[in-house]
């Protein structure tokens, strides 16, 4: 089956140019002006539109058991929602329980992910340490296409990695040619601040940001960067939310350290006033970690993205419904942490970033797709419109508009942090592995059609 996307402007990270794009089976086979239409090919008219590599969301949690419950979106509904928004690949997280065997946890997540409608791959979290963990990291890299490991510096008494685990795991990552990543928040400080707030009777969701101020994030970001420096590893910091963490990244990069930073669509667009709402269900709906910050921090994140000190945009898609959020109605520390966004990331970043002139279309492609493909070793299979790349393509209508609402979204959870926002710039068509899976508002996602993407290790000499 051949599909030709005609008359659009192809946007890659390095340039934009007029070209038709011909796909056969699951690959792009030609990119050039005025291509002949092969007999029987499906024709997609991209006149007046951009043709871009499908989005890569490097941070999602589908089907995640977390804080005593399980997220609303499973791998089917979550990846399908992504396709509707122009995201064709997700990197999700295998999160072993403390003392759980890594391979067993990995196999469990592979099983859950079989129903994915779009392509997927996994970071594996290192939540504890012993010789079997050291061994199994090697098995995951060599035999299972995992090249990145996640470390939660927060969530004390649950999945938090202590300094011993960070140091030993980073050293192992270097040996294996894998990328260490961190959720940077000082878990001990968070825990103590939470206890102080609860003792003072401050039990509502407005206490959530007070228990996780920017300093708590910055301490952990600085510590992780220092450990990576001593261990000679690169490091990727997930969901950078504040100016102070960005400063740590910027400083380290200026000193020649290979540090990468991820910004969430939510942190870029939503500020901390949401926690002051009298509507406690609304406030709890926004409880995620790190919390939303003030406009000062949002501005810094946009500058980080434009200036090249933040590299990727993600969502941390982790949906809980109102009943689940109500588990913490008498104690904010029990509100399941997480918000959605996989369906909206591309549009809100285009609307706020490109329409404002903050980002060029090529910079948009860089921070929504190409950089993630390169940092996590899927490039040029993903993140590029060129012959030989996967036919994961989004035809982007820069004049199309959509008003975001939980009532009309494909994602589950019944809540949307971008509720009511009208965005200009939407996918008109999404192709995943050569198949049209979304066209003009109609989702044609197929359960189980997504593929597991192997990500080989980096060369262990270039990782230094
Ligand atoms: O609040 C969040 N971010 N929930 C998901 C788990 C994590 O920390 O990434
Ligand atoms: Zn996190
Ligand atoms: Zn500040
Ligand atoms: Zn997360």
């Amino acid at each position: 089956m051949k599909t030709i996307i005609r008359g659009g402007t192809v946007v890659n990270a390095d340039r934009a140019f007029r070209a038709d794009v011909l796909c056969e089976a699951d690959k792009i086979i030609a990119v050039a002006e005025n291509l002949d239409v092969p007999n029987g090919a499906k024709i997609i008219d991209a006149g007046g539109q951009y043709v871009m590599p499908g989005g890569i969301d490097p941070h999602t949690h589908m089907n995640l058991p977390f804080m005593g419950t399980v997220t609303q979106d499973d791998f089917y509904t979550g990846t399908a929602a992504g396709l509707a928004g122009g995201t064709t690949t997700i990197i999700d997280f295998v999160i072993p329980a403390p003392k759980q065997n890594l391979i067993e946890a990995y196999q469990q997540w592979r099983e859950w992910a079989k129903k994915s409608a779009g392509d997927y791959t996994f970071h594996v979290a290192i939540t504890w340490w012993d010789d079997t963990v050291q061994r199994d990291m090697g098995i995951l890299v060599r035999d299972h296409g995992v090249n990145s490991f996640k470390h939660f510096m927060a969530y004390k008494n649950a999945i938090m990695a202590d300094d011993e685990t960070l140091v030993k795991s980073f050293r192992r990552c270097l040996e294996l040619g894998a990328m260490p990543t961190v959720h940077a928040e000082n878990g001990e400080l968070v825990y103590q601040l939470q206890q102080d707030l609860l003792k003072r009777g401050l039990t509502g969701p407005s206490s959530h940001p007070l228990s996780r101020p920017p300093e708590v994030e910055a301490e952990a970001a600085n510590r992780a960067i220092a450990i990576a420096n001593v261990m000679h590893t690169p490091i990727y910091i997930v969901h950078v939310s504040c100016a102070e963490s960005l400063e740590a990244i910027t400083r380290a990069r200026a000193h020649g350290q290979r540090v990468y930073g991820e910004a969430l669509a939510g942190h870029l667009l939503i500020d901390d006033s949401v926690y002051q709402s009298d509507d406690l269900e609304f406030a709890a709906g926004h409880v995620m970690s790190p919390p939303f910050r003030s406009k000062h921090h949002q501005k810094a994140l946009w500058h980080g993205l434009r200036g090249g000190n933040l590299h990727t945009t993600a969502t941390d898609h982790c949906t809980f419904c109102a009943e689940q959020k109500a588990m913490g109605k008498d104690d904010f520390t029990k509100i399941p942490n997480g918000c959605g966004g996989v369906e909206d990331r591309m549009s809100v970043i285009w609307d706020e970033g490109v329409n404002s002139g903050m980002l060029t279309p090529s910079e948009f492609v860089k921070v929504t797709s190409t950089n993630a493909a390169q940092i996590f070793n899927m490039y040029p299979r993903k993140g590029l419109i060129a012959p030989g790349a996967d036919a994961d393509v989004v035809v982007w209508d820069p004049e199309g508009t959509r008003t975001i609402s939980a009532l009309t979204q494909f994602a589950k959870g019944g809540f949307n942090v971008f509720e009511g926002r009208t965005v200009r710039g939407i996918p008109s068509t999404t192709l995943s592995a050569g198949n049209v899976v979304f066209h003009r508002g109609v989702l044609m996602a197929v359960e189980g059609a997504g593929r597991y993407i192997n990500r080989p290790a980096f060369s262990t000499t270039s990782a230094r």
Side-chain angles (χ1 to χ4, degrees):
M1 175 63 189
K2 289 185 177 167
T3 303
I4 186 163
I5 305 167
R6 285 210 304 181
T9 300
V10 171
V11 185
N12 277 327
D14 62 338
R15 67 189 181 115
F17 54 102
R18 292 298 295 269
D20 301 340
V21 176
L22 181 62
C23 307
E24 179 170 20
D26 64 338
K27 295 290 182 197
I28 295 171
I29 59 166
V31 179
E33 268 192 281
N34 302 318
L35 285 174
D36 290 333
V37 179
N39 270 345
K42 179 188 287 235
I43 300 173
I44 296 169
D45 175 18
Q49 302 187 76
Y50 294 113
V51 180
M52 309 189 293
I56 299 173
D57 189 335
H59 189 155
T60 67
H61 301 281
M62 310 305 176
N63 203 123
L64 178 67
F66 190 55
M67 295 182 74
T69 186
V70 181
T71 56
Q72 290 288 309
D73 275 307
D74 63 19
F75 279 89
Y76 172 56
T77 64
T79 53
L83 295 173
T87 288
T88 50
T89 303
I90 61 165
I91 315 183
D92 207 276
F93 294 81
V94 173
I95 307 184
K99 302 287 174 215
Q100 185 184 10
N101 176 274
L102 260 61
I103 306 296
E104 177 193 297
Y106 169 80
Q107 297 296 4
Q108 172 69 79
W109 259 266
R110 284 293 302 267
E111 199 56 39
W112 286 332
K114 278 184 179 159
K115 48 160 75 166
S116 296
D119 287 357
Y120 58 95
T121 174
F122 289 112
H123 310 283
V124 175
I126 301 303
T127 54
W128 62 293
W129 192 263
D130 78 355
D131 290 347
T132 69
V133 174
Q134 157 112 0
R135 177 199 66 203
D136 291 345
M137 287 172 76
I139 294 172
L140 288 166
V141 171
R142 282 189 292 263
D143 302 340
H144 298 286
V146 171
N147 76 2
S148 48
F149 293 95
K150 166 79 170 287
H151 307 80
F152 290 92
M153 298 171 79
Y155 306 122
K156 178 177 151 84
N157 298 329
I159 53 176
M160 182 168 96
D162 59 12
D163 282 0
E164 179 186 357
T165 301
L166 293 175
V167 171
K168 290 183 171 170
S169 177
F170 283 21
R171 178 187 287 144
R172 184 66 171 144
C173 285
L174 181 65
E175 273 172 16
L176 294 169
M179 175 71 77
T181 81
V182 292
H183 167 137
E185 283 186 306
N186 181 313
E188 186 61 45
L189 271 175
V190 171
Y191 180 77
Q192 296 302 334
L193 293 176
Q194 286 177 331
Q195 301 316 305
D196 293 349
L197 287 155
L198 290 175
K199 267 190 219 130
R200 289 163 57 201
L202 300 171
T203 58
S206 60
S207 292
H208 176 70
L210 301 177
S211 69
R212 314 180 95 101
E215 293 76 7
V216 163
E217 182 181 326
E219 186 284 325
N222 276 290
R223 177 158 40 103
I225 289 169
I227 294 172
N229 191 25
V230 173
M231 305 314 291
H232 303 292
T233 61
I235 186 163
Y236 177 94
I237 303 184
V238 310
H239 50 43
V240 174
S241 76
C242 66
E244 291 81 350
S245 292
L246 174 59
E247 279 159 20
I249 294 170
T250 305
R251 195 181 327 114
R253 289 176 61 83
H255 286 106
Q257 221 181 312
R258 196 175 278 122
V259 182
Y260 302 102
E262 168 192 283
L264 301 186
H267 286 139
L268 286 163
L269 273 97
I270 292 159
D271 69 62
D272 54 359
S273 62
V274 293
Y275 299 117
Q276 304 310 321
S277 174
D278 293 334
D279 179 347
L280 296 186
E281 197 176 298
F282 176 85
H286 289 87
V287 166
M288 65 159 301
S289 298
F292 298 116
R293 307 284 191 198
S294 69
K295 297 215 185 301
H296 155 73
H297 296 287
Q298 287 178 267
K299 197 166 165 194
L301 296 183
W302 280 109
H303 289 164
L305 267 186
R306 184 168 64 179
N309 286 309
L310 294 175
H311 307 85
T312 61
T313 57
T315 58
D316 205 353
H317 188 89
C318 186
T319 48
F320 298 108
C321 67
E323 293 72 38
Q324 290 173 303
K325 291 281 186 181
M327 290 164 64
K329 66 179 172 14
D330 302 319
D331 175 351
F332 72 94
T333 68
K334 298 196 166 63
I335 302 171
N337 284 207
C339 300
V342 73
E343 190 170 342
D344 309 308
R345 175 185 66 124
M346 302 280 282
S347 274
V348 296
I349 289 171
W350 181 279
D351 187 49
E352 195 77 12
V354 180
N355 290 344
S356 68
M358 178 67 80
L359 301 176
T360 65
S362 278
E363 286 167 345
F364 172 83
V365 167
K366 229 180 257 184
V367 301
T368 56
S369 182
T370 309
N371 283 350
Q374 291 180 341
I375 292 168
F376 294 112
N377 219 11
M378 295 186 278
Y379 190 83
R381 177 177 179 185
K382 306 287 190 192
L384 179 70
I385 300 287
D390 278 1
D392 292 350
V393 183
V394 56
V395 182
W396 193 262
D397 179 358
E399 298 305 329
T401 61
R402 178 169 81 92
T403 299
I404 297 171
S405 173
L407 295 173
T408 49
Q409 71 188 9
F410 293 103
K412 303 286 176 213
F415 190 79
N416 193 311
V417 294
F418 306 112
E419 184 73 36
R421 194 176 289 263
T422 297
V423 289
R424 183 163 53 85
I426 57 171
S428 65
T429 307
T430 308
L431 270 80
S432 169
N435 297 307
V436 174
V437 288
F438 177 82
H439 184 67
R440 298 258 173 232
V442 180
L443 184 60
M444 289 157 275
V446 176
E447 186 166 333
R451 303 165 304 176
Y452 177 72
I453 305 299
N454 276 299
R455 296 182 297 116
F458 296 96
S459 135
T460 49
T461 48
S462 70
R464 275 163 233 265

